[in-house]
Amino acid sequence: DDIAVYSFEDGSYLIRVQDQVLFDSGSAEINEDGKLKLIGLCDQINASPHGRIWVRGHTDDDPVKRPETLTKYPHGNLQLSAARAVEVAMVMISDGKVGAKGVSVMGFGEYMPLKENISAENKRYNRRVEIYFTGA
């Protein structure tokens, strides 16, 4: 699924959003449809008790190659994943009205894949932003 929610026994939960829901390839700019989906998620987030929020960006292992993308992200996937996490957090804070005090961002690049990067489908699955909430 493009957006999935997982709950854990300790009261924490995770929202996993596949990158194509939010971003064009090689971009950290959130598209308008992605912004609307994030704002909708924030309504759900605000309706549930939670603690700290961690926004975590992930990519596949394909190196950043396009000259314009490489110019913007000279440190490659790690920098791109961090930039995407920052953009998601900023939509949540500004447009979604989630309190900034409890939000942290992290970029993992290709270093925490969910599936081995051996096929286009697996790579698509690995390109994601995860919003993790600690229990209240």
Side-chain angles (χ1 to χ4, degrees):
D1 208 11
D2 288 342
I3 299 177
V5 179
Y6 304 90
S7 318
F8 305 101
E9 289 181 17
D10 63 358
S12 63
Y13 61 100
L14 175 95
I15 299 172
R16 180 174 294 142
V17 184
Q18 297 307 135
D19 77 319
Q20 73 274 9
V21 171
L22 304 172
F23 308 103
D24 293 331
S25 178
S27 172
E29 187 175 324
I30 300 173
N31 61 47
E32 285 306 311
D33 189 44
K35 267 188 192 173
L36 292 174
K37 287 181 178 165
L38 272 177
I39 291 167
L41 286 174
C42 288
D43 290 340
Q44 293 174 9
I45 292 163
N46 286 328
S48 304
H50 59 78
R52 189 152 195 79
I53 300 171
W54 301 88
V55 181
R56 308 184 301 205
H58 299 270
T59 66
D60 60 27
D61 66 349
D62 289 344
V64 173
K65 292 180 187 171
R66 285 190 307 207
E68 64 274 10
T69 307
L70 201 49
T71 298
K72 198 165 187 176
Y73 306 106
H75 301 293
N77 283 326
L78 190 60
Q79 188 175 18
L80 174 60
S81 68
R84 286 179 168 187
V86 166
E87 291 304 313
V88 168
M90 292 312 300
V91 167
M92 292 173 64
I93 291 165
S94 335
D95 299 323
K97 307 299 184 238
V98 171
K101 183 178 168 188
V103 177
S104 296
V105 297
M106 305 165 89
F108 291 97
E110 69 264 27
Y111 301 110
M112 291 189 69
L114 294 173
K115 297 183 177 186
E116 196 174 349
N117 281 299
I118 56 172
S119 68
E121 180 60 26
N122 283 11
K123 287 176 186 249
R124 185 196 69 76
Y125 194 74
N126 288 332
R127 295 188 303 267
R128 67 201 187 276
V129 172
E130 295 175 333
I131 308 166
Y132 175 76
F133 306 84
T134 61

